[in-house]
mmCIF file of all heavy atoms in Angstrom:
data_model
loop_
_atom_site.group_PDB
_atom_site.id
_atom_site.type_symbol
_atom_site.label_atom_id
_atom_site.label_comp_id
_atom_site.label_asym_id
_atom_site.label_seq_id
_atom_site.Cartn_x
_atom_site.Cartn_y
_atom_site.Cartn_z
ATOM 1 N N THR A 87 7.567 -10.710 3.799
ATOM 2 C CA THR A 87 8.893 -10.942 4.348
ATOM 3 C C THR A 87 9.855 -11.182 3.198
ATOM 4 O O THR A 87 9.579 -11.966 2.308
ATOM 5 C CB THR A 87 8.871 -12.166 5.267
ATOM 6 O OG1 THR A 87 7.865 -11.956 6.239
ATOM 7 C CG2 THR A 87 10.210 -12.330 5.954
ATOM 8 N N VAL A 88 10.949 -10.490 3.245
ATOM 9 C CA VAL A 88 11.891 -10.572 2.140
ATOM 10 C C VAL A 88 13.248 -11.060 2.639
ATOM 11 O O VAL A 88 13.665 -10.712 3.735
ATOM 12 C CB VAL A 88 12.067 -9.184 1.501
ATOM 13 C CG1 VAL A 88 12.783 -9.319 0.185
ATOM 14 C CG2 VAL A 88 10.722 -8.518 1.309
ATOM 15 N N ALA A 89 13.929 -11.829 1.858
ATOM 16 C CA ALA A 89 15.285 -12.316 2.161
ATOM 17 C C ALA A 89 15.453 -12.721 3.630
ATOM 18 O O ALA A 89 15.469 -11.887 4.522
ATOM 19 C CB ALA A 89 16.311 -11.254 1.795
ATOM 20 N N PRO A 90 15.563 -13.994 3.888
ATOM 21 C CA PRO A 90 15.537 -14.503 5.261
ATOM 22 C C PRO A 90 16.864 -14.394 6.009
ATOM 23 O O PRO A 90 17.253 -15.309 6.708
ATOM 24 C CB PRO A 90 15.147 -15.964 5.061
ATOM 25 C CG PRO A 90 15.716 -16.305 3.727
ATOM 26 C CD PRO A 90 15.749 -15.044 2.918
ATOM 27 N N ALA A 91 17.552 -13.268 5.902
ATOM 28 C CA ALA A 91 18.840 -13.154 6.583
ATOM 29 C C ALA A 91 18.666 -12.931 8.084
ATOM 30 O O ALA A 91 19.336 -13.541 8.900
ATOM 31 C CB ALA A 91 19.661 -12.029 5.984
ATOM 32 N N ALA A 92 17.746 -12.037 8.448
ATOM 33 C CA ALA A 92 17.510 -11.775 9.868
ATOM 34 C C ALA A 92 16.270 -12.542 10.300
ATOM 35 O O ALA A 92 15.402 -12.826 9.493
ATOM 36 C CB ALA A 92 17.309 -10.283 10.084
ATOM 37 N N SER A 93 16.163 -12.898 11.574
ATOM 38 C CA SER A 93 14.967 -13.595 12.043
ATOM 39 C C SER A 93 13.832 -12.589 12.142
ATOM 40 O O SER A 93 14.064 -11.386 12.206
ATOM 41 C CB SER A 93 15.231 -14.235 13.400
ATOM 42 O OG SER A 93 15.266 -13.243 14.391
ATOM 43 N N ALA A 94 12.580 -13.106 12.132
ATOM 44 C CA ALA A 94 11.414 -12.221 12.090
ATOM 45 C C ALA A 94 11.452 -11.191 13.213
ATOM 46 O O ALA A 94 11.084 -10.039 13.024
ATOM 47 C CB ALA A 94 10.141 -13.041 12.155
ATOM 48 N N GLY A 95 11.928 -11.601 14.379
ATOM 49 C CA GLY A 95 11.961 -10.689 15.523
ATOM 50 C C GLY A 95 12.869 -9.504 15.302
ATOM 51 O O GLY A 95 12.718 -8.460 15.937
ATOM 52 N N ASP A 96 13.817 -9.658 14.384
ATOM 53 C CA ASP A 96 14.762 -8.571 14.115
ATOM 54 C C ASP A 96 14.257 -7.582 13.080
ATOM 55 O O ASP A 96 14.874 -6.557 12.851
ATOM 56 C CB ASP A 96 16.080 -9.154 13.571
ATOM 57 C CG ASP A 96 16.837 -9.907 14.637
ATOM 58 O OD1 ASP A 96 16.615 -9.605 15.826
ATOM 59 O OD2 ASP A 96 17.623 -10.788 14.281
ATOM 60 N N LYS A 97 13.162 -7.929 12.438
ATOM 61 C CA LYS A 97 12.718 -7.111 11.305
ATOM 62 C C LYS A 97 12.082 -5.804 11.760
ATOM 63 O O LYS A 97 11.342 -5.768 12.737
ATOM 64 C CB LYS A 97 11.687 -7.878 10.477
ATOM 65 C CG LYS A 97 12.183 -9.224 10.024
ATOM 66 C CD LYS A 97 12.766 -9.154 8.657
ATOM 67 C CE LYS A 97 13.030 -10.561 8.161
ATOM 68 N NZ LYS A 97 13.630 -10.568 6.853
ATOM 69 N N VAL A 98 12.344 -4.780 11.001
ATOM 70 C CA VAL A 98 11.738 -3.480 11.266
ATOM 71 C C VAL A 98 10.391 -3.434 10.546
ATOM 72 O O VAL A 98 10.341 -3.601 9.328
ATOM 73 C CB VAL A 98 12.632 -2.338 10.736
ATOM 74 C CG1 VAL A 98 11.953 -0.990 10.912
ATOM 75 C CG2 VAL A 98 13.994 -2.373 11.409
ATOM 76 N N PRO A 99 9.284 -3.230 11.277
ATOM 77 C CA PRO A 99 8.006 -3.168 10.584
ATOM 78 C C PRO A 99 7.820 -1.849 9.835
ATOM 79 O O PRO A 99 7.976 -0.767 10.401
ATOM 80 C CB PRO A 99 6.970 -3.299 11.715
ATOM 81 C CG PRO A 99 7.677 -2.908 12.965
ATOM 82 C CD PRO A 99 9.153 -3.137 12.744
ATOM 83 N N VAL A 100 7.517 -1.970 8.553
ATOM 84 C CA VAL A 100 7.150 -0.800 7.749
ATOM 85 C C VAL A 100 5.685 -0.997 7.385
ATOM 86 O O VAL A 100 5.288 -2.059 6.910
ATOM 87 C CB VAL A 100 8.006 -0.704 6.463
ATOM 88 C CG1 VAL A 100 7.519 0.433 5.570
ATOM 89 C CG2 VAL A 100 9.478 -0.533 6.812
ATOM 90 N N VAL A 101 4.871 -0.001 7.668
ATOM 91 C CA VAL A 101 3.434 -0.091 7.401
ATOM 92 C C VAL A 101 3.032 1.081 6.511
ATOM 93 O O VAL A 101 3.486 2.209 6.725
ATOM 94 C CB VAL A 101 2.626 -0.050 8.727
ATOM 95 C CG1 VAL A 101 1.128 -0.091 8.456
ATOM 96 C CG2 VAL A 101 3.027 -1.206 9.639
ATOM 97 N N ILE A 102 2.228 0.790 5.499
ATOM 98 C CA ILE A 102 1.743 1.875 4.640
ATOM 99 C C ILE A 102 0.218 1.869 4.588
ATOM 100 O O ILE A 102 -0.414 0.815 4.604
ATOM 101 C CB ILE A 102 2.301 1.789 3.194
ATOM 102 C CG1 ILE A 102 1.984 0.430 2.555
ATOM 103 C CG2 ILE A 102 3.791 2.056 3.182
ATOM 104 C CD1 ILE A 102 2.366 0.339 1.069
ATOM 105 N N MET A 103 -0.360 3.053 4.562
ATOM 106 C CA MET A 103 -1.792 3.191 4.299
ATOM 107 C C MET A 103 -1.931 3.835 2.927
ATOM 108 O O MET A 103 -1.357 4.898 2.671
ATOM 109 C CB MET A 103 -2.494 4.057 5.336
ATOM 110 C CG MET A 103 -3.998 4.135 5.090
ATOM 111 S SD MET A 103 -4.902 5.155 6.282
ATOM 112 C CE MET A 103 -4.834 6.746 5.461
ATOM 113 N N VAL A 104 -2.653 3.172 2.041
ATOM 114 C CA VAL A 104 -2.742 3.628 0.655
ATOM 115 C C VAL A 104 -4.197 3.697 0.181
ATOM 116 O O VAL A 104 -5.110 3.226 0.853
ATOM 117 C CB VAL A 104 -1.965 2.683 -0.292
ATOM 118 C CG1 VAL A 104 -0.514 2.548 0.132
ATOM 119 C CG2 VAL A 104 -2.618 1.307 -0.336
ATOM 120 N N GLU A 105 -4.376 4.284 -0.998
ATOM 121 C CA GLU A 105 -5.633 4.201 -1.749
ATOM 122 C C GLU A 105 -5.244 3.714 -3.137
ATOM 123 O O GLU A 105 -4.290 4.226 -3.718
ATOM 124 C CB GLU A 105 -6.305 5.570 -1.864
ATOM 125 C CG GLU A 105 -6.886 6.075 -0.553
ATOM 126 C CD GLU A 105 -7.542 7.454 -0.688
ATOM 127 O OE1 GLU A 105 -7.472 8.044 -1.790
ATOM 128 O OE2 GLU A 105 -8.088 7.932 0.309
ATOM 129 N N SER A 106 -5.979 2.765 -3.661
ATOM 130 C CA SER A 106 -5.613 2.198 -4.965
ATOM 131 C C SER A 106 -5.485 3.244 -6.069
ATOM 132 O O SER A 106 -4.658 3.107 -6.956
ATOM 133 C CB SER A 106 -6.639 1.140 -5.394
ATOM 134 O OG SER A 106 -6.513 -0.013 -4.602
ATOM 135 N N PHE A 107 -6.324 4.285 -6.018
ATOM 136 C CA PHE A 107 -6.317 5.273 -7.103
ATOM 137 C C PHE A 107 -5.565 6.553 -6.740
ATOM 138 O O PHE A 107 -5.696 7.574 -7.426
ATOM 139 C CB PHE A 107 -7.746 5.615 -7.540
ATOM 140 C CG PHE A 107 -8.483 4.460 -8.189
ATOM 141 C CD1 PHE A 107 -9.844 4.549 -8.435
ATOM 142 C CD2 PHE A 107 -7.822 3.297 -8.562
ATOM 143 C CE1 PHE A 107 -10.542 3.495 -9.032
ATOM 144 C CE2 PHE A 107 -8.500 2.234 -9.155
ATOM 145 C CZ PHE A 107 -9.872 2.336 -9.396
ATOM 146 N N CYS A 108 -4.802 6.501 -5.666
ATOM 147 C CA CYS A 108 -3.950 7.637 -5.327
ATOM 148 C C CYS A 108 -2.634 7.441 -6.071
ATOM 149 O O CYS A 108 -1.948 6.440 -5.874
ATOM 150 C CB CYS A 108 -3.699 7.661 -3.822
ATOM 151 S SG CYS A 108 -2.342 8.705 -3.323
ATOM 152 N N PRO A 109 -2.274 8.359 -6.975
ATOM 153 C CA PRO A 109 -1.056 8.174 -7.773
ATOM 154 C C PRO A 109 0.172 7.895 -6.901
ATOM 155 O O PRO A 109 0.993 7.032 -7.242
ATOM 156 C CB PRO A 109 -0.906 9.510 -8.508
ATOM 157 C CG PRO A 109 -2.233 10.161 -8.441
ATOM 158 C CD PRO A 109 -2.960 9.625 -7.255
ATOM 159 N N CYS A 110 0.282 8.601 -5.795
ATOM 160 C CA CYS A 110 1.457 8.428 -4.931
ATOM 161 C C CYS A 110 1.438 7.054 -4.267
ATOM 162 O O CYS A 110 2.482 6.486 -3.963
ATOM 163 C CB CYS A 110 1.485 9.528 -3.870
ATOM 164 S SG CYS A 110 1.248 11.161 -4.577
ATOM 165 N N SER A 111 0.242 6.519 -4.063
ATOM 166 C CA SER A 111 0.109 5.177 -3.493
ATOM 167 C C SER A 111 0.517 4.106 -4.498
ATOM 168 O O SER A 111 0.801 2.972 -4.119
ATOM 169 C CB SER A 111 -1.343 4.909 -3.067
ATOM 170 O OG SER A 111 -1.692 5.652 -1.928
ATOM 171 N N GLY A 112 0.522 4.458 -5.782
ATOM 172 C CA GLY A 112 0.996 3.534 -6.801
ATOM 173 C C GLY A 112 2.503 3.626 -6.935
ATOM 174 O O GLY A 112 3.203 2.627 -7.061
ATOM 175 N N ALA A 113 3.003 4.860 -6.874
ATOM 176 C CA ALA A 113 4.443 5.080 -7.036
ATOM 177 C C ALA A 113 5.233 4.466 -5.884
ATOM 178 O O ALA A 113 6.316 3.914 -6.095
ATOM 179 C CB ALA A 113 4.732 6.579 -7.131
ATOM 180 N N TRP A 114 4.684 4.528 -4.683
ATOM 181 C CA TRP A 114 5.450 4.075 -3.513
ATOM 182 C C TRP A 114 5.806 2.577 -3.568
ATOM 183 O O TRP A 114 6.989 2.225 -3.464
ATOM 184 C CB TRP A 114 4.713 4.433 -2.212
ATOM 185 C CG TRP A 114 5.618 4.392 -1.014
ATOM 186 C CD1 TRP A 114 6.269 5.454 -0.452
ATOM 187 C CD2 TRP A 114 6.013 3.235 -0.249
ATOM 188 N NE1 TRP A 114 7.043 5.029 0.606
ATOM 189 C CE2 TRP A 114 6.913 3.678 0.750
ATOM 190 C CE3 TRP A 114 5.719 1.877 -0.332
ATOM 191 C CZ2 TRP A 114 7.493 2.807 1.677
ATOM 192 C CZ3 TRP A 114 6.312 0.996 0.587
ATOM 193 C CH2 TRP A 114 7.180 1.471 1.573
ATOM 194 N N PRO A 115 4.825 1.687 -3.751
ATOM 195 C CA PRO A 115 5.165 0.260 -3.804
ATOM 196 C C PRO A 115 6.114 -0.059 -4.958
ATOM 197 O O PRO A 115 6.982 -0.924 -4.851
ATOM 198 C CB PRO A 115 3.822 -0.447 -4.009
ATOM 199 C CG PRO A 115 2.798 0.543 -3.577
ATOM 200 C CD PRO A 115 3.376 1.907 -3.837
ATOM 201 N N PHE A 116 5.938 0.654 -6.059
ATOM 202 C CA PHE A 116 6.795 0.452 -7.227
ATOM 203 C C PHE A 116 8.246 0.745 -6.867
ATOM 204 O O PHE A 116 9.149 -0.059 -7.121
ATOM 205 C CB PHE A 116 6.319 1.361 -8.372
ATOM 206 C CG PHE A 116 7.121 1.240 -9.631
ATOM 207 C CD1 PHE A 116 6.845 0.243 -10.548
ATOM 208 C CD2 PHE A 116 8.142 2.136 -9.910
ATOM 209 C CE1 PHE A 116 7.580 0.132 -11.725
ATOM 210 C CE2 PHE A 116 8.889 2.027 -11.077
ATOM 211 C CZ PHE A 116 8.599 1.022 -11.985
ATOM 212 N N GLU A 117 8.468 1.905 -6.251
ATOM 213 C CA GLU A 117 9.832 2.292 -5.879
ATOM 214 C C GLU A 117 10.383 1.388 -4.775
ATOM 215 O O GLU A 117 11.557 1.033 -4.778
ATOM 216 C CB GLU A 117 9.863 3.761 -5.423
ATOM 217 C CG GLU A 117 9.564 4.740 -6.539
ATOM 218 C CD GLU A 117 10.592 4.680 -7.671
ATOM 219 O OE1 GLU A 117 11.781 4.452 -7.391
ATOM 220 O OE2 GLU A 117 10.198 4.855 -8.841
ATOM 221 N N PHE A 118 9.526 1.046 -3.835
ATOM 222 C CA PHE A 118 9.963 0.170 -2.742
ATOM 223 C C PHE A 118 10.437 -1.164 -3.320
ATOM 224 O O PHE A 118 11.497 -1.676 -2.956
ATOM 225 C CB PHE A 118 8.817 -0.041 -1.749
ATOM 226 C CG PHE A 118 9.177 -0.933 -0.588
ATOM 227 C CD1 PHE A 118 9.899 -0.437 0.487
ATOM 228 C CD2 PHE A 118 8.797 -2.269 -0.568
ATOM 229 C CE1 PHE A 118 10.249 -1.262 1.563
ATOM 230 C CE2 PHE A 118 9.133 -3.100 0.494
ATOM 231 C CZ PHE A 118 9.862 -2.593 1.560
ATOM 232 N N TYR A 119 9.625 -1.692 -4.214
ATOM 233 C CA TYR A 119 9.940 -2.997 -4.802
ATOM 234 C C TYR A 119 11.204 -2.938 -5.678
ATOM 235 O O TYR A 119 12.081 -3.794 -5.586
ATOM 236 C CB TYR A 119 8.752 -3.498 -5.615
ATOM 237 C CG TYR A 119 8.992 -4.849 -6.237
ATOM 238 C CD1 TYR A 119 9.017 -5.995 -5.454
ATOM 239 C CD2 TYR A 119 9.213 -4.976 -7.607
ATOM 240 C CE1 TYR A 119 9.261 -7.247 -6.027
ATOM 241 C CE2 TYR A 119 9.452 -6.211 -8.179
ATOM 242 C CZ TYR A 119 9.475 -7.342 -7.379
ATOM 243 O OH TYR A 119 9.726 -8.570 -7.942
ATOM 244 N N GLN A 120 11.272 -1.910 -6.516
ATOM 245 C CA GLN A 120 12.385 -1.828 -7.474
ATOM 246 C C GLN A 120 13.698 -1.387 -6.834
ATOM 247 O O GLN A 120 14.756 -1.893 -7.182
ATOM 248 C CB GLN A 120 12.050 -0.813 -8.590
ATOM 249 C CG GLN A 120 10.769 -1.083 -9.334
ATOM 250 C CD GLN A 120 10.956 -2.056 -10.476
ATOM 251 O OE1 GLN A 120 12.070 -2.480 -10.763
ATOM 252 N NE2 GLN A 120 9.873 -2.449 -11.110
ATOM 253 N N LYS A 121 13.618 -0.391 -5.937
ATOM 254 C CA LYS A 121 14.847 0.263 -5.487
ATOM 255 C C LYS A 121 15.221 -0.027 -4.039
ATOM 256 O O LYS A 121 16.400 -0.139 -3.715
ATOM 257 C CB LYS A 121 14.707 1.785 -5.658
ATOM 258 C CG LYS A 121 14.382 2.229 -7.062
ATOM 259 C CD LYS A 121 15.643 2.271 -7.929
ATOM 260 C CE LYS A 121 15.351 2.520 -9.381
ATOM 261 N NZ LYS A 121 14.527 3.701 -9.621
ATOM 262 N N LEU A 122 14.227 -0.089 -3.149
ATOM 263 C CA LEU A 122 14.559 -0.201 -1.723
ATOM 264 C C LEU A 122 14.740 -1.653 -1.275
ATOM 265 O O LEU A 122 15.682 -1.963 -0.553
ATOM 266 C CB LEU A 122 13.482 0.500 -0.887
ATOM 267 C CG LEU A 122 13.375 2.007 -1.172
ATOM 268 C CD1 LEU A 122 12.133 2.605 -0.529
ATOM 269 C CD2 LEU A 122 14.626 2.720 -0.668
ATOM 270 N N LEU A 123 13.846 -2.509 -1.722
ATOM 271 C CA LEU A 123 13.943 -3.924 -1.329
ATOM 272 C C LEU A 123 15.308 -4.550 -1.609
ATOM 273 O O LEU A 123 15.859 -5.249 -0.758
ATOM 274 C CB LEU A 123 12.868 -4.748 -2.039
ATOM 275 C CG LEU A 123 11.580 -5.064 -1.293
ATOM 276 C CD1 LEU A 123 10.798 -6.102 -2.068
ATOM 277 C CD2 LEU A 123 11.844 -5.538 0.125
ATOM 278 N N PRO A 124 15.873 -4.314 -2.798
ATOM 279 C CA PRO A 124 17.168 -4.941 -3.070
ATOM 280 C C PRO A 124 18.255 -4.485 -2.091
ATOM 281 O O PRO A 124 19.230 -5.189 -1.875
ATOM 282 C CB PRO A 124 17.498 -4.462 -4.497
ATOM 283 C CG PRO A 124 16.188 -4.095 -5.098
ATOM 284 C CD PRO A 124 15.345 -3.580 -3.972
ATOM 285 N N GLN A 125 18.064 -3.317 -1.493
ATOM 286 C CA GLN A 125 19.102 -2.781 -0.600
ATOM 287 C C GLN A 125 18.882 -3.145 0.866
ATOM 288 O O GLN A 125 19.826 -3.481 1.568
ATOM 289 C CB GLN A 125 19.161 -1.259 -0.733
ATOM 290 C CG GLN A 125 19.482 -0.789 -2.143
ATOM 291 C CD GLN A 125 19.683 0.712 -2.179
ATOM 292 O OE1 GLN A 125 20.644 1.230 -1.635
ATOM 293 N NE2 GLN A 125 18.749 1.417 -2.805
ATOM 294 N N ILE A 126 17.626 -3.047 1.335
ATOM 295 C CA ILE A 126 17.398 -3.283 2.766
ATOM 296 C C ILE A 126 16.255 -4.283 3.005
ATOM 297 O O ILE A 126 15.705 -4.358 4.111
ATOM 298 C CB ILE A 126 17.129 -1.959 3.541
ATOM 299 C CG1 ILE A 126 16.226 -1.011 2.760
ATOM 300 C CG2 ILE A 126 18.446 -1.235 3.830
ATOM 301 C CD1 ILE A 126 14.811 -1.134 3.006
ATOM 302 N N GLY A 127 15.929 -5.056 1.970
ATOM 303 C CA GLY A 127 14.838 -6.011 2.078
ATOM 304 C C GLY A 127 14.975 -6.978 3.234
ATOM 305 O O GLY A 127 13.993 -7.341 3.881
#
Side-chain angles (χ1 to χ4, degrees):
T87 305
V88 193
S93 74
D96 290 336
K97 305 265 190 182
V98 176
V100 174
V101 178
I102 56 173
M103 183 180 90
V104 304
E105 289 179 356
S106 289
F107 294 169
C108 164
C110 311
S111 289
W114 198 96
F116 180 84
E117 293 298 325
F118 180 80
Y119 181 72
Q120 304 275 356
K121 303 279 172 53
L122 298 169
L123 262 191
Q125 300 186 68
I126 41 91

